[in-house]
Amino acid sequence: MSPSSANPPMRIGLLTGGGDCPGLNAVIRAVTRTARGLYGATVIGIEDGFEGLFDGRMRELEYGDVAGLIGEGGTLLGTSNKGDPWNFPLRQADGTLVISDVSERILEQIRHAALDVLMVVGGDGSMHIAQRFVERGVRVIGVPKTIDNDLAATDATFGFDTAVSIVSEAIDRLQTTASSHHRVMVIEVMGRYAGWIALAGGMAGGADTILIPEIGFSWESVFRHVEHRASRGRRFSIVCVAEGARLPEGGEVVKAFDRRRTDARQLGGIGAVVARRIEEGTGLETRVTVLGHLQRGGSPSAHDRVLATRFGVAAAHCAARGESGLMVALRGTEIVTVPISQAIATLRTVPHDHPLVLAARAVGTRFGDETAAPDGAAQALPDSEQRPGGK
Protein backbone atom coordinates (compact mmCIF):
# COMPACT_ATOMS: atom_id res chain seq x y z
CA MET A 1 0.00 0.00 0.00
CA SER A 2 1.46 3.40 -0.93
CA PRO A 3 -0.01 6.91 -0.90
CA SER A 4 -1.42 8.48 -4.04
CA SER A 5 -2.68 11.89 -5.01
CA ALA A 6 -6.22 10.61 -4.48
CA ASN A 7 -5.39 9.22 -1.05
CA PRO A 8 -3.30 11.57 1.10
CA PRO A 9 -0.80 9.93 3.48
CA MET A 10 -2.32 8.31 6.54
CA ARG A 11 -1.76 10.20 9.78
CA ILE A 12 -1.10 8.03 12.84
CA GLY A 13 -1.25 9.54 16.30
CA LEU A 14 1.04 7.57 18.62
CA LEU A 15 1.02 7.86 22.41
CA THR A 16 2.46 5.91 25.32
CA GLY A 17 0.22 5.81 28.40
CA GLY A 18 0.46 4.58 31.97
CA GLY A 19 3.72 3.77 33.71
CA ASP A 20 7.00 3.78 31.82
CA CYS A 21 8.35 0.43 30.71
CA PRO A 22 11.48 -0.94 29.02
CA GLY A 23 10.71 -1.42 25.32
CA LEU A 24 8.48 1.62 24.74
CA ASN A 25 11.12 3.29 22.58
CA ALA A 26 11.50 0.11 20.53
CA VAL A 27 7.76 0.28 19.74
CA ILE A 28 7.97 3.96 18.79
CA ARG A 29 10.89 3.14 16.48
CA ALA A 30 9.12 0.16 14.88
CA VAL A 31 5.85 2.01 14.27
CA THR A 32 7.62 5.05 12.82
CA ARG A 33 9.92 3.11 10.52
CA THR A 34 7.24 0.70 9.31
CA ALA A 35 4.50 3.30 8.82
CA ARG A 36 6.77 5.77 7.05
CA GLY A 37 8.91 3.30 5.11
CA LEU A 38 6.26 0.88 3.89
CA TYR A 39 3.17 3.05 3.72
CA GLY A 40 4.36 6.63 3.41
CA ALA A 41 2.36 7.49 6.52
CA THR A 42 2.93 10.44 8.80
CA VAL A 43 3.49 9.49 12.43
CA ILE A 44 2.51 12.14 14.98
CA GLY A 45 4.05 11.58 18.39
CA ILE A 46 1.80 12.67 21.25
CA GLU A 47 3.67 13.76 24.36
CA ASP A 48 2.89 12.49 27.87
CA GLY A 49 0.03 10.19 26.99
CA PHE A 50 -3.54 11.43 27.16
CA GLU A 51 -2.42 14.53 29.04
CA GLY A 52 -0.47 15.61 25.97
CA LEU A 53 -3.43 14.81 23.74
CA PHE A 54 -5.61 17.04 25.91
CA ASP A 55 -3.11 19.90 25.56
CA GLY A 56 -2.44 19.28 21.86
CA ARG A 57 1.27 18.63 22.45
CA MET A 58 2.22 16.68 19.32
CA ARG A 59 5.08 16.53 16.82
CA GLU A 60 5.89 14.60 13.69
CA LEU A 61 8.34 11.74 14.12
CA GLU A 62 10.96 11.23 11.43
CA TYR A 63 13.65 8.62 10.94
CA GLY A 64 16.24 10.71 12.72
CA ASP A 65 14.03 10.98 15.81
CA VAL A 66 13.93 7.21 16.31
CA ALA A 67 17.48 6.31 15.28
CA GLY A 68 19.21 4.22 17.94
CA LEU A 69 16.12 4.02 20.14
CA ILE A 70 15.76 0.24 20.26
CA GLY A 71 18.00 -0.19 23.29
CA GLU A 72 17.01 2.91 25.24
CA GLY A 73 14.77 2.65 28.28
CA GLY A 74 11.87 4.97 29.01
CA THR A 75 9.89 6.64 26.25
CA LEU A 76 10.90 9.38 23.84
CA LEU A 77 7.35 10.74 24.02
CA GLY A 78 6.94 10.77 27.77
CA THR A 79 4.01 9.17 29.56
CA SER A 80 1.50 9.70 32.36
CA ASN A 81 -0.84 7.54 34.42
CA LYS A 82 -2.99 10.50 35.47
CA GLY A 83 -4.62 11.44 32.17
CA ASP A 84 -7.82 9.38 31.98
CA PRO A 85 -10.06 11.63 29.83
CA TRP A 86 -13.13 10.60 31.84
CA ASN A 87 -11.33 11.12 35.15
CA PHE A 88 -9.05 14.03 34.29
CA PRO A 89 -7.44 16.22 36.97
CA LEU A 90 -7.91 19.92 36.23
CA ARG A 91 -6.25 22.50 38.46
CA GLN A 92 -8.51 25.46 39.13
CA ALA A 93 -7.45 29.10 39.50
CA ASP A 94 -7.68 28.83 43.28
CA GLY A 95 -5.37 25.80 43.28
CA THR A 96 -8.03 23.20 43.92
CA LEU A 97 -8.13 20.01 41.88
CA VAL A 98 -11.33 19.05 40.08
CA ILE A 99 -11.78 15.65 38.42
CA SER A 100 -13.54 16.25 35.11
CA ASP A 101 -14.71 14.55 31.92
CA VAL A 102 -12.61 16.08 29.14
CA SER A 103 -13.29 13.42 26.51
CA GLU A 104 -15.00 15.91 24.18
CA ARG A 105 -11.93 18.15 24.28
CA ILE A 106 -9.72 15.23 23.34
CA LEU A 107 -12.02 14.18 20.50
CA GLU A 108 -11.73 17.72 19.18
CA GLN A 109 -7.93 17.55 19.41
CA ILE A 110 -7.96 14.31 17.39
CA ARG A 111 -10.09 16.00 14.72
CA HIS A 112 -7.97 19.14 14.75
CA ALA A 113 -4.79 17.12 14.21
CA ALA A 114 -6.52 15.18 11.40
CA LEU A 115 -5.49 11.85 12.89
CA ASP A 116 -6.75 8.88 10.90
CA VAL A 117 -5.94 6.44 13.67
CA LEU A 118 -4.90 6.69 17.30
CA MET A 119 -2.30 4.15 18.39
CA VAL A 120 -2.30 3.59 22.16
CA VAL A 121 0.66 1.82 23.75
CA GLY A 122 -0.23 0.94 27.31
CA GLY A 123 -1.47 -1.48 29.90
CA ASP A 124 -4.88 -2.35 31.30
CA GLY A 125 -5.85 1.23 32.19
CA SER A 126 -4.77 2.62 28.83
CA MET A 127 -6.64 -0.14 26.98
CA HIS A 128 -9.83 0.67 28.91
CA ILE A 129 -9.50 4.28 27.76
CA ALA A 130 -8.75 3.12 24.21
CA GLN A 131 -11.93 1.04 24.15
CA ARG A 132 -14.03 3.98 25.26
CA PHE A 133 -12.68 6.02 22.34
CA VAL A 134 -13.45 3.11 19.98
CA GLU A 135 -17.03 3.32 21.22
CA ARG A 136 -16.99 7.05 20.42
CA GLY A 137 -16.08 6.32 16.80
CA VAL A 138 -12.31 6.83 16.93
CA ARG A 139 -10.11 4.41 14.97
CA VAL A 140 -7.82 2.90 17.61
CA ILE A 141 -5.07 0.28 17.55
CA GLY A 142 -3.71 -0.97 20.89
CA VAL A 143 -0.21 -2.18 21.73
CA PRO A 144 0.07 -4.04 25.06
CA LYS A 145 2.79 -2.98 27.46
CA THR A 146 3.14 -3.50 31.17
CA ILE A 147 5.82 -4.96 33.38
CA ASP A 148 2.95 -6.54 35.36
CA ASN A 149 2.10 -8.94 32.48
CA ASP A 150 -1.55 -8.76 33.54
CA LEU A 151 -3.25 -7.99 30.21
CA ALA A 152 -5.60 -10.72 29.07
CA ALA A 153 -5.60 -11.95 25.46
CA THR A 154 -1.81 -11.83 25.11
CA ASP A 155 0.65 -14.42 26.36
CA ALA A 156 3.19 -11.73 27.25
CA THR A 157 3.69 -7.99 27.33
CA PHE A 158 7.03 -6.33 26.67
CA GLY A 159 8.72 -4.93 29.76
CA PHE A 160 7.91 -8.01 31.81
CA ASP A 161 11.06 -9.92 30.87
CA THR A 162 13.27 -6.96 31.78
CA ALA A 163 11.53 -6.49 35.13
CA VAL A 164 11.92 -10.18 35.96
CA SER A 165 15.63 -9.99 35.14
CA ILE A 166 16.05 -7.03 37.49
CA VAL A 167 14.26 -8.89 40.30
CA SER A 168 16.39 -11.98 39.72
CA GLU A 169 19.62 -9.98 39.83
CA ALA A 170 18.52 -8.17 42.99
CA ILE A 171 17.80 -11.48 44.71
CA ASP A 172 21.22 -12.78 43.64
CA ARG A 173 22.79 -9.80 45.37
CA LEU A 174 20.63 -10.11 48.47
CA GLN A 175 21.57 -13.78 48.81
CA THR A 176 25.20 -12.95 49.55
CA THR A 177 24.49 -10.34 52.22
CA ALA A 178 21.72 -12.49 53.72
CA SER A 179 24.10 -15.44 53.99
CA SER A 180 26.89 -13.30 55.43
CA HIS A 181 24.72 -11.80 58.17
CA HIS A 182 22.43 -14.82 58.71
CA ARG A 183 19.34 -12.74 58.07
CA VAL A 184 15.96 -13.14 56.51
CA MET A 185 15.70 -10.85 53.49
CA VAL A 186 12.28 -9.73 52.24
CA ILE A 187 12.17 -8.23 48.75
CA GLU A 188 9.03 -6.38 47.64
CA VAL A 189 8.35 -6.24 43.90
CA MET A 190 5.75 -4.63 41.65
CA GLY A 191 2.83 -6.28 39.85
CA ARG A 192 -0.24 -4.65 41.35
CA TYR A 193 -3.01 -7.27 41.51
CA ALA A 194 -1.08 -9.98 39.63
CA GLY A 195 1.84 -12.04 40.90
CA TRP A 196 3.72 -12.69 37.65
CA ILE A 197 6.81 -10.61 38.49
CA ALA A 198 7.18 -12.08 41.98
CA LEU A 199 6.60 -15.60 40.68
CA ALA A 200 9.02 -15.51 37.75
CA GLY A 201 11.57 -13.24 39.42
CA GLY A 202 11.45 -15.22 42.64
CA MET A 203 11.91 -18.49 40.79
CA ALA A 204 14.82 -17.16 38.74
CA GLY A 205 16.53 -15.82 41.86
CA GLY A 206 15.96 -18.96 43.93
CA ALA A 207 13.72 -17.30 46.53
CA ASP A 208 12.74 -19.66 49.33
CA THR A 209 9.24 -18.22 49.76
CA ILE A 210 7.13 -16.35 47.19
CA LEU A 211 3.98 -14.51 48.24
CA ILE A 212 1.56 -13.46 45.49
CA PRO A 213 -1.99 -12.06 45.39
CA GLU A 214 -3.48 -15.20 43.86
CA ILE A 215 -2.38 -17.60 46.61
CA GLY A 216 -3.45 -16.84 50.15
CA PHE A 217 -0.81 -17.32 52.81
CA SER A 218 -0.68 -17.70 56.59
CA TRP A 219 1.87 -16.16 58.89
CA GLU A 220 2.37 -19.50 60.61
CA SER A 221 3.32 -21.21 57.35
CA VAL A 222 5.85 -18.48 56.52
CA PHE A 223 7.34 -18.59 60.02
CA ARG A 224 7.57 -22.40 59.96
CA HIS A 225 9.52 -22.49 56.72
CA VAL A 226 11.99 -19.82 57.84
CA GLU A 227 12.52 -21.63 61.15
CA HIS A 228 12.87 -24.98 59.39
CA ARG A 229 15.68 -23.60 57.22
CA ALA A 230 17.41 -22.15 60.29
CA SER A 231 17.15 -25.46 62.14
CA ARG A 232 18.93 -27.19 59.24
CA GLY A 233 21.82 -24.76 59.32
CA ARG A 234 20.50 -22.50 56.56
CA ARG A 235 20.66 -19.37 58.63
CA PHE A 236 19.14 -17.10 56.02
CA SER A 237 16.03 -17.01 53.86
CA ILE A 238 14.81 -14.96 50.91
CA VAL A 239 11.12 -14.02 50.78
CA CYS A 240 9.89 -12.44 47.53
CA VAL A 241 6.54 -10.68 48.00
CA ALA A 242 4.35 -9.04 45.38
CA GLU A 243 3.10 -5.57 46.29
CA GLY A 244 -0.50 -6.74 45.83
CA ALA A 245 -0.29 -9.86 47.98
CA ARG A 246 -3.20 -10.00 50.39
CA LEU A 247 -2.52 -10.14 54.10
CA PRO A 248 -3.84 -13.18 56.02
CA GLU A 249 -6.12 -10.84 57.95
CA GLY A 250 -7.47 -9.52 54.66
CA GLY A 251 -6.77 -6.79 52.11
CA GLU A 252 -3.73 -5.33 50.43
CA VAL A 253 -1.32 -2.82 51.94
CA VAL A 254 -2.04 0.62 50.48
CA LYS A 255 0.57 3.34 50.93
CA ALA A 256 -1.42 6.25 49.48
CA PHE A 257 -4.50 7.34 47.56
CA ASP A 258 -4.19 9.53 44.49
CA ARG A 259 -7.55 10.54 43.05
CA ARG A 260 -5.88 11.80 39.88
CA ARG A 261 -5.43 8.18 38.88
CA THR A 262 -8.19 5.90 37.56
CA ASP A 263 -7.33 3.44 40.32
CA ALA A 264 -6.66 5.75 43.24
CA ARG A 265 -5.03 3.07 45.40
CA GLN A 266 -1.23 3.05 45.35
CA LEU A 267 -0.04 -0.30 46.59
CA GLY A 268 3.17 -0.63 48.56
CA GLY A 269 4.51 -1.36 52.01
CA ILE A 270 3.70 -5.05 52.35
CA GLY A 271 7.41 -5.88 52.39
CA ALA A 272 7.88 -3.96 55.64
CA VAL A 273 4.81 -5.65 57.15
CA VAL A 274 6.08 -9.12 56.21
CA ALA A 275 9.59 -8.37 57.53
CA ARG A 276 8.25 -7.08 60.86
CA ARG A 277 5.96 -10.06 61.33
CA ILE A 278 8.71 -12.57 60.50
CA GLU A 279 11.06 -10.97 63.02
CA GLU A 280 8.34 -10.91 65.68
CA GLY A 281 7.21 -14.47 64.90
CA THR A 282 10.62 -16.14 64.65
CA GLY A 283 13.08 -13.91 66.48
CA LEU A 284 15.29 -13.93 63.37
CA GLU A 285 16.79 -10.65 62.21
CA THR A 286 14.91 -9.54 59.09
CA ARG A 287 15.45 -6.78 56.56
CA VAL A 288 13.36 -5.50 53.66
CA THR A 289 14.32 -4.20 50.21
CA VAL A 290 11.75 -2.47 48.00
CA LEU A 291 12.79 -2.47 44.34
CA GLY A 292 10.10 0.00 43.29
CA HIS A 293 10.75 1.86 40.05
CA LEU A 294 14.11 0.17 39.51
CA GLN A 295 12.02 -2.54 37.84
CA ARG A 296 10.77 -0.07 35.24
CA GLY A 297 14.06 1.59 34.39
CA GLY A 298 17.09 0.88 32.29
CA SER A 299 17.68 -0.75 28.96
CA PRO A 300 15.19 -3.43 27.79
CA SER A 301 16.30 -7.03 27.52
CA ALA A 302 16.89 -8.56 24.10
CA HIS A 303 13.59 -10.43 24.45
CA ASP A 304 11.66 -7.23 25.13
CA ARG A 305 13.37 -5.39 22.26
CA VAL A 306 12.32 -8.11 19.84
CA LEU A 307 8.76 -8.39 21.18
CA ALA A 308 8.26 -4.61 21.22
CA THR A 309 9.54 -4.36 17.65
CA ARG A 310 7.21 -7.13 16.47
CA PHE A 311 4.26 -5.43 18.19
CA GLY A 312 5.10 -2.05 16.62
CA VAL A 313 5.42 -3.50 13.13
CA ALA A 314 2.14 -5.41 13.49
CA ALA A 315 0.35 -2.29 14.78
CA ALA A 316 1.52 -0.28 11.76
CA HIS A 317 0.23 -3.00 9.44
CA CYS A 318 -3.16 -2.91 11.23
CA ALA A 319 -3.38 0.84 10.79
CA ALA A 320 -2.54 0.57 7.09
CA ARG A 321 -5.27 -2.03 6.61
CA GLY A 322 -7.83 0.37 8.05
CA GLU A 323 -8.54 -1.78 11.09
CA SER A 324 -9.79 -0.45 14.40
CA GLY A 325 -10.68 -1.61 17.90
CA LEU A 326 -7.91 -4.19 17.84
CA MET A 327 -4.89 -4.86 20.03
CA VAL A 328 -1.83 -6.70 18.77
CA ALA A 329 -0.99 -9.71 20.94
CA LEU A 330 1.37 -12.62 21.31
CA ARG A 331 -0.13 -16.10 21.05
CA GLY A 332 2.50 -18.79 21.29
CA THR A 333 5.16 -17.52 18.91
CA GLU A 334 2.77 -15.65 16.59
CA ILE A 335 1.70 -12.02 16.63
CA VAL A 336 -2.09 -11.82 16.21
CA THR A 337 -4.82 -9.23 16.71
CA VAL A 338 -7.63 -9.41 19.27
CA PRO A 339 -10.49 -7.03 20.07
CA ILE A 340 -9.47 -4.50 22.71
CA SER A 341 -12.73 -5.34 24.48
CA GLN A 342 -11.51 -8.92 24.85
CA ALA A 343 -8.14 -7.81 26.18
CA ILE A 344 -9.73 -5.83 29.03
CA ALA A 345 -12.55 -8.25 29.83
CA THR A 346 -10.58 -9.74 32.71
CA LEU A 347 -7.27 -9.30 34.46
CA ARG A 348 -4.61 -11.90 33.65
CA THR A 349 -3.64 -13.36 37.00
CA VAL A 350 -1.67 -16.42 38.06
CA PRO A 351 -3.71 -19.66 38.16
CA HIS A 352 -3.01 -21.88 41.16
CA ASP A 353 -2.06 -24.71 38.83
CA HIS A 354 0.07 -22.65 36.44
CA PRO A 355 3.19 -24.55 35.28
CA LEU A 356 5.45 -21.96 36.95
CA VAL A 357 3.69 -22.46 40.29
CA LEU A 358 3.91 -26.25 39.97
CA ALA A 359 7.59 -26.08 38.99
CA ALA A 360 8.37 -23.80 41.92
CA ARG A 361 6.62 -26.12 44.35
CA ALA A 362 8.45 -29.11 42.88
CA VAL A 363 11.84 -27.64 43.74
CA GLY A 364 10.76 -26.75 47.27
CA THR A 365 9.74 -23.10 46.96
CA ARG A 366 6.97 -22.17 49.40
CA PHE A 367 3.96 -19.96 48.80
CA GLY A 368 2.86 -19.62 52.41
CA ASP A 369 -0.24 -21.77 51.92
CA GLU A 370 1.27 -25.08 53.06
CA THR A 371 -0.41 -26.77 55.98
CA ALA A 372 2.19 -29.43 56.71
CA ALA A 373 5.66 -28.78 58.08
CA PRO A 374 8.42 -28.96 55.45
CA ASP A 375 9.91 -32.44 55.18
CA GLY A 376 13.52 -32.19 54.06
CA ALA A 377 13.84 -35.94 53.56
CA ALA A 378 10.77 -36.29 51.41
CA GLN A 379 10.78 -33.10 49.41
CA ALA A 380 13.31 -31.57 47.03
CA LEU A 381 14.89 -28.36 48.24
CA PRO A 382 15.38 -25.18 46.23
CA ASP A 383 18.72 -24.64 44.52
CA SER A 384 19.59 -22.23 47.31
CA GLU A 385 19.85 -25.18 49.71
CA GLN A 386 21.81 -27.52 47.47
CA ARG A 387 25.28 -25.98 47.81
CA PRO A 388 27.02 -24.79 50.98
CA GLY A 389 26.86 -21.03 51.33
CA GLY A 390 25.00 -20.75 48.05
CA LYS A 391 21.58 -19.56 47.15
PDB file of all heavy atoms in Angstrom, residues 271-285:
ATOM      1  N   GLY A 271       6.111  -5.321  52.043  1.00  0.00           N
ATOM      2  CA  GLY A 271       7.414  -5.881  52.390  1.00  0.00           C
ATOM      3  C   GLY A 271       7.790  -5.580  53.826  1.00  0.00           C
ATOM      4  O   GLY A 271       8.284  -6.455  54.554  1.00  0.00           O
ATOM      5  N   ALA A 272       7.564  -4.347  54.256  1.00  0.00           N
ATOM      6  CA  ALA A 272       7.880  -3.961  55.636  1.00  0.00           C
ATOM      7  C   ALA A 272       7.006  -4.704  56.629  1.00  0.00           C
ATOM      8  O   ALA A 272       7.463  -5.103  57.710  1.00  0.00           O
ATOM      9  CB  ALA A 272       7.714  -2.452  55.798  1.00  0.00           C
ATOM     10  N   VAL A 273       5.727  -4.910  56.273  1.00  0.00           N
ATOM     11  CA  VAL A 273       4.815  -5.652  57.150  1.00  0.00           C
ATOM     12  C   VAL A 273       5.285  -7.098  57.295  1.00  0.00           C
ATOM     13  O   VAL A 273       5.354  -7.640  58.414  1.00  0.00           O
ATOM     14  CB  VAL A 273       3.376  -5.608  56.597  1.00  0.00           C
ATOM     15  CG1 VAL A 273       2.452  -6.491  57.448  1.00  0.00           C
ATOM     16  CG2 VAL A 273       2.852  -4.181  56.558  1.00  0.00           C
ATOM     17  N   VAL A 274       5.630  -7.731  56.180  1.00  0.00           N
ATOM     18  CA  VAL A 274       6.081  -9.125  56.213  1.00  0.00           C
ATOM     19  C   VAL A 274       7.375  -9.243  57.018  1.00  0.00           C
ATOM     20  O   VAL A 274       7.528 -10.148  57.849  1.00  0.00           O
ATOM     21  CB  VAL A 274       6.281  -9.660  54.785  1.00  0.00           C
ATOM     22  CG1 VAL A 274       6.977 -11.022  54.795  1.00  0.00           C
ATOM     23  CG2 VAL A 274       4.943  -9.767  54.067  1.00  0.00           C
ATOM     24  N   ALA A 275       8.316  -8.319  56.807  1.00  0.00           N
ATOM     25  CA  ALA A 275       9.588  -8.371  57.535  1.00  0.00           C
ATOM     26  C   ALA A 275       9.373  -8.238  59.038  1.00  0.00           C
ATOM     27  O   ALA A 275       9.963  -8.976  59.842  1.00  0.00           O
ATOM     28  CB  ALA A 275      10.515  -7.264  57.027  1.00  0.00           C
ATOM     29  N   ARG A 276       8.513  -7.285  59.428  1.00  0.00           N
ATOM     30  CA  ARG A 276       8.253  -7.076  60.856  1.00  0.00           C
ATOM     31  C   ARG A 276       7.613  -8.307  61.484  1.00  0.00           C
ATOM     32  O   ARG A 276       8.017  -8.749  62.570  1.00  0.00           O
ATOM     33  CB  ARG A 276       7.352  -5.854  61.048  1.00  0.00           C
ATOM     34  CG  ARG A 276       7.117  -5.511  62.526  1.00  0.00           C
ATOM     35  CD  ARG A 276       6.200  -4.333  62.710  1.00  0.00           C
ATOM     36  NE  ARG A 276       4.822  -4.664  62.372  1.00  0.00           N
ATOM     37  CZ  ARG A 276       4.184  -4.193  61.318  1.00  0.00           C
ATOM     38  NH1 ARG A 276       4.792  -3.371  60.468  1.00  0.00           N
ATOM     39  NH2 ARG A 276       2.922  -4.529  61.081  1.00  0.00           N
ATOM     40  N   ARG A 277       6.646  -8.899  60.777  1.00  0.00           N
ATOM     41  CA  ARG A 277       5.957 -10.064  61.330  1.00  0.00           C
ATOM     42  C   ARG A 277       6.885 -11.268  61.416  1.00  0.00           C
ATOM     43  O   ARG A 277       6.801 -12.054  62.364  1.00  0.00           O
ATOM     44  CB  ARG A 277       4.731 -10.397  60.474  1.00  0.00           C
ATOM     45  CG  ARG A 277       3.596  -9.372  60.574  1.00  0.00           C
ATOM     46  CD  ARG A 277       3.044  -9.263  61.998  1.00  0.00           C
ATOM     47  NE  ARG A 277       2.513 -10.522  62.474  1.00  0.00           N
ATOM     48  CZ  ARG A 277       1.238 -10.892  62.363  1.00  0.00           C
ATOM     49  NH1 ARG A 277       0.371 -10.074  61.784  1.00  0.00           N
ATOM     50  NH2 ARG A 277       0.823 -12.048  62.829  1.00  0.00           N
ATOM     51  N   ILE A 278       7.764 -11.447  60.437  1.00  0.00           N
ATOM     52  CA  ILE A 278       8.710 -12.568  60.498  1.00  0.00           C
ATOM     53  C   ILE A 278       9.648 -12.407  61.692  1.00  0.00           C
ATOM     54  O   ILE A 278       9.914 -13.363  62.437  1.00  0.00           O
ATOM     55  CB  ILE A 278       9.515 -12.680  59.187  1.00  0.00           C
ATOM     56  CG1 ILE A 278       8.610 -13.183  58.048  1.00  0.00           C
ATOM     57  CG2 ILE A 278      10.712 -13.620  59.350  1.00  0.00           C
ATOM     58  CD1 ILE A 278       9.285 -13.217  56.699  1.00  0.00           C
ATOM     59  N   GLU A 279      10.146 -11.196  61.892  1.00  0.00           N
ATOM     60  CA  GLU A 279      11.060 -10.973  63.016  1.00  0.00           C
ATOM     61  C   GLU A 279      10.345 -11.185  64.343  1.00  0.00           C
ATOM     62  O   GLU A 279      10.903 -11.797  65.272  1.00  0.00           O
ATOM     63  CB  GLU A 279      11.654  -9.562  62.929  1.00  0.00           C
ATOM     64  CG  GLU A 279      12.790  -9.329  63.906  1.00  0.00           C
ATOM     65  CD  GLU A 279      13.628  -8.118  63.528  1.00  0.00           C
ATOM     66  OE1 GLU A 279      14.392  -8.196  62.549  1.00  0.00           O
ATOM     67  OE2 GLU A 279      13.516  -7.096  64.239  1.00  0.00           O
ATOM     68  N   GLU A 280       9.105 -10.713  64.443  1.00  0.00           N
ATOM     69  CA  GLU A 280       8.338 -10.909  65.679  1.00  0.00           C
ATOM     70  C   GLU A 280       7.984 -12.379  65.880  1.00  0.00           C
ATOM     71  O   GLU A 280       7.992 -12.878  67.022  1.00  0.00           O
ATOM     72  CB  GLU A 280       7.050 -10.088  65.622  1.00  0.00           C
ATOM     73  CG  GLU A 280       7.267  -8.582  65.662  1.00  0.00           C
ATOM     74  CD  GLU A 280       5.978  -7.803  65.402  1.00  0.00           C
ATOM     75  OE1 GLU A 280       4.960  -8.444  65.013  1.00  0.00           O
ATOM     76  OE2 GLU A 280       5.986  -6.575  65.588  1.00  0.00           O
ATOM     77  N   GLY A 281       7.676 -13.094  64.784  1.00  0.00           N
ATOM     78  CA  GLY A 281       7.210 -14.466  64.903  1.00  0.00           C
ATOM     79  C   GLY A 281       8.305 -15.501  65.039  1.00  0.00           C
ATOM     80  O   GLY A 281       8.042 -16.616  65.511  1.00  0.00           O
ATOM     81  N   THR A 282       9.527 -15.155  64.620  1.00  0.00           N
ATOM     82  CA  THR A 282      10.616 -16.144  64.651  1.00  0.00           C
ATOM     83  C   THR A 282      11.808 -15.702  65.487  1.00  0.00           C
ATOM     84  O   THR A 282      12.641 -16.533  65.852  1.00  0.00           O
ATOM     85  CB  THR A 282      11.128 -16.429  63.228  1.00  0.00           C
ATOM     86  OG1 THR A 282      11.751 -15.251  62.700  1.00  0.00           O
ATOM     87  CG2 THR A 282       9.980 -16.855  62.316  1.00  0.00           C
ATOM     88  N   GLY A 283      11.917 -14.415  65.767  1.00  0.00           N
ATOM     89  CA  GLY A 283      13.080 -13.908  66.483  1.00  0.00           C
ATOM     90  C   GLY A 283      14.303 -13.756  65.594  1.00  0.00           C
ATOM     91  O   GLY A 283      15.379 -13.370  66.077  1.00  0.00           O
ATOM     92  N   LEU A 284      14.163 -14.029  64.298  1.00  0.00           N
ATOM     93  CA  LEU A 284      15.289 -13.931  63.373  1.00  0.00           C
ATOM     94  C   LEU A 284      15.374 -12.516  62.804  1.00  0.00           C
ATOM     95  O   LEU A 284      14.365 -11.916  62.444  1.00  0.00           O
ATOM     96  CB  LEU A 284      15.136 -14.935  62.235  1.00  0.00           C
ATOM     97  CG  LEU A 284      15.131 -16.413  62.659  1.00  0.00           C
ATOM     98  CD1 LEU A 284      14.742 -17.304  61.479  1.00  0.00           C
ATOM     99  CD2 LEU A 284      16.512 -16.810  63.187  1.00  0.00           C
ATOM    100  N   GLU A 285      16.590 -11.997  62.736  1.00  0.00           N
ATOM    101  CA  GLU A 285      16.788 -10.654  62.209  1.00  0.00           C
ATOM    102  C   GLU A 285      16.330 -10.602  60.752  1.00  0.00           C
ATOM    103  O   GLU A 285      16.709 -11.452  59.934  1.00  0.00           O
ATOM    104  CB  GLU A 285      18.265 -10.266  62.308  1.00  0.00           C
ATOM    105  CG  GLU A 285      18.527  -8.812  62.016  1.00  0.00           C
ATOM    106  CD  GLU A 285      19.985  -8.435  62.268  1.00  0.00           C
ATOM    107  OE1 GLU A 285      20.798  -9.343  62.526  1.00  0.00           O
ATOM    108  OE2 GLU A 285      20.292  -7.232  62.194  1.00  0.00           O
TER     109      GLU A 285
END
